[in-house]
Amino acid sequence: MFVLICYDVSTVTPEGRRRLRKVAQLCKNYGQRVQQSVFECDLGETEWASLRPALLGVFDPHEDSLRFYRLGEDPTARTEHHGIKPSIDFQGPLIV
């Protein structure tokens, strides 16, 4: 499943800055950063079942915002990109 994750974490306090780093790192472990606080993730059910609660456990619902957009199995039918940072083809060959 293709998921777009967007977040806005308050960084007024040191705790907020720590939360921001944790949220960003979790998202980086599962997907590609396409904007400062936006990640595209191609996830299986097991990955989604572990990422979602991890993110919900880190963010503060009284200070932060976290959004998940489930775009289905074929993101190319729902996304259009222009400019820098082209999307990764998650279905293509993996070159390490």
Side-chain angles (χ1 to χ4, degrees):
M1 133 182 51
F2 193 78
V3 179
L4 189 69
I5 301 173
C6 307
Y7 57 87
D8 187 15
V9 177
S10 174
T11 57
V12 176
T13 65
E15 294 80 17
R17 291 188 287 277
R18 277 193 289 278
R19 285 194 315 273
L20 176 63
R21 284 191 299 276
K22 287 179 184 178
V23 168
Q25 188 58 51
L26 279 167
C27 290
K28 233 162 62 170
N29 290 341
Y30 287 89
Q32 171 194 7
R33 176 176 271 160
V34 293
Q35 291 186 2
Q36 287 295 349
S37 298
V38 180
F39 281 80
E40 293 176 345
C41 303
D42 189 16
L43 305 169
E45 290 299 324
T46 304
E47 292 168 314
W48 176 241
S50 105
L51 176 59
R52 184 178 178 276
L55 288 170
L56 291 172
V58 170
F59 99 114
D60 181 343
H62 302 291
E63 295 186 29
D64 309 329
S65 173
L66 181 60
R67 292 176 177 253
F68 304 115
Y69 297 94
R70 293 177 197 89
L71 301 178
E73 296 300 323
D74 183 13
T76 60
R78 292 177 184 82
T79 59
E80 183 175 329
H81 174 265
H82 303 276
I84 63 171
K85 294 186 179 181
S87 295
I88 293 173
D89 178 8
F90 291 107
Q91 305 307 319
L94 175 64
I95 300 172
V96 180

